[in-house]
Amino acid sequence: MTTLAAEALGRTFGTTHALRDLDVVVEKGSVLGLLGPNGAGKTTTINLFLGLLTPSTGRCLVDGIDVAQDPAGARERVGYVPETVALYPELSGLENLRFFAGLTGQSFGSEQLKSALQRAGLQEEAWGRRVSTYSKGMRQKVGIAIAAAKGATALLLDEPASGLDPKASNELSHLVRDLAAEGVAILMATHDLFRARETCDQLVIMRQGSKVAELSAQDLSPGELEVLYLEHMHE
């Protein structure tokens, strides 16, 4: 079942084409990675799915909902984890989760919130600690817990592993795969070719706002993926 879809999706800023005729589909329970340098159109794509931008051409769908026509309805179904998760540093992880989950208008009990933190892989001893003491990886986990508590059917990740050490990056990769196994559709923008191959089912290589290749992550070795990626960057 298709959860996320971009159909001939495009976005211009004046005379600049930030995104051109993008077609991608993310099925329920799968992870699609957007690869490309800065300016390739990855973040623009995510912002269009979030309803933060309006398409210049085409459309993006979340569970069949046209985001431009019903941004609130689409946003209810989407969780978003940016490169740096903005949390209140003087509140604990649990308190941040309670606050941000409450913004959805839903009511959550303490056990539900704790379950979401556990599902996101945050160690129990950290739940009551101030976020100001957290590492970046721990903050990312709180961000994912917020999406999990919301019951999002789709998850948008924008460079989630940027700045993480190898252990934290590996933990994040496993968490993303676990969420996909539970039926969440995940779209992830990343620069990390190795982590993308380990985490994603499908990969889309982007350059200057256009999709230049789409392939199965498991069809190529890490070295082959790197060679293919660099070839497209030098076209």
Side-chain angles (χ1 to χ4, degrees), residues 82-99:
E83 181 177 348
T84 301
V85 176
L87 300 171
Y88 290 102
E90 297 308 308
L91 298 181
S92 69
L94 183 59
E95 289 168 337
N96 268 280
L97 175 57
R98 179 176 290 110
F99 173 78

Side-chain angles (χ1 to χ4, degrees), residues 65-76:
I65 297 172
D66 187 318
V67 178
Q69 293 183 7
D70 185 7
R75 203 173 292 127
E76 287 177 358

Side-chain angles (χ1 to χ4, degrees), residues 8-129:
L9 189 62
R11 173 69 192 194
T12 58
F13 297 95
T15 59
T16 301
H17 289 270
L19 195 66
R20 300 171 183 263
D21 296 323
L22 179 66
D23 290 299
V24 295
V25 170
V26 188
E27 304 287 350
K28 176 181 178 181
S30 68
V31 184
L32 186 143
L34 299 178
L35 298 174
N38 292 334
K42 306 187 303 298
T43 296
T44 298
T45 300
I46 288 176
N47 285 339
L48 286 163
F49 272 110
L50 288 171
L52 301 178
L53 295 173
T54 302
S56 301
T57 59
R59 61 179 186 164
C60 46
L61 306 172
V62 178
D63 282 342
I65 297 172
D66 187 318
V67 178
Q69 293 183 7
D70 185 7
R75 203 173 292 127
E76 287 177 358
R77 293 162 168 78
V78 170
Y80 171 55
V81 181
E83 181 177 348
T84 301
V85 176
L87 300 171
Y88 290 102
E90 297 308 308
L91 298 181
S92 69
L94 183 59
E95 289 168 337
N96 268 280
L97 175 57
R98 179 176 290 110
F99 173 78
F100 285 105
L103 295 179
T104 65
Q106 303 176 60
S107 178
F108 298 94
S110 292
E111 292 307 311
Q112 287 177 288
L113 297 175
K114 291 176 181 177
S115 177
L117 289 173
Q118 185 175 44
R119 180 185 178 193
L122 188 66
Q123 294 181 341
E124 186 173 351
E125 59 85 17
W127 297 353
R129 278 173 35 205

Side-chain angles (χ1 to χ4, degrees), residues 26-27 29-33 157 176-177 180 184-188 196 199-203:
V26 188
E27 304 287 350
S30 68
V31 184
L32 186 143
L157 307 175
V176 170
R177 290 306 320 171
V184 179
I186 300 171
L187 180 65
M188 180 174 74
T199 308
C200 301
D201 300 295
Q202 294 293 120
L203 298 171

Side-chain angles (χ1 to χ4, degrees), residues 173-185:
S173 180
H174 283 290
L175 175 56
V176 170
R177 290 306 320 171
D178 288 345
L179 290 169
E182 295 175 12
V184 179

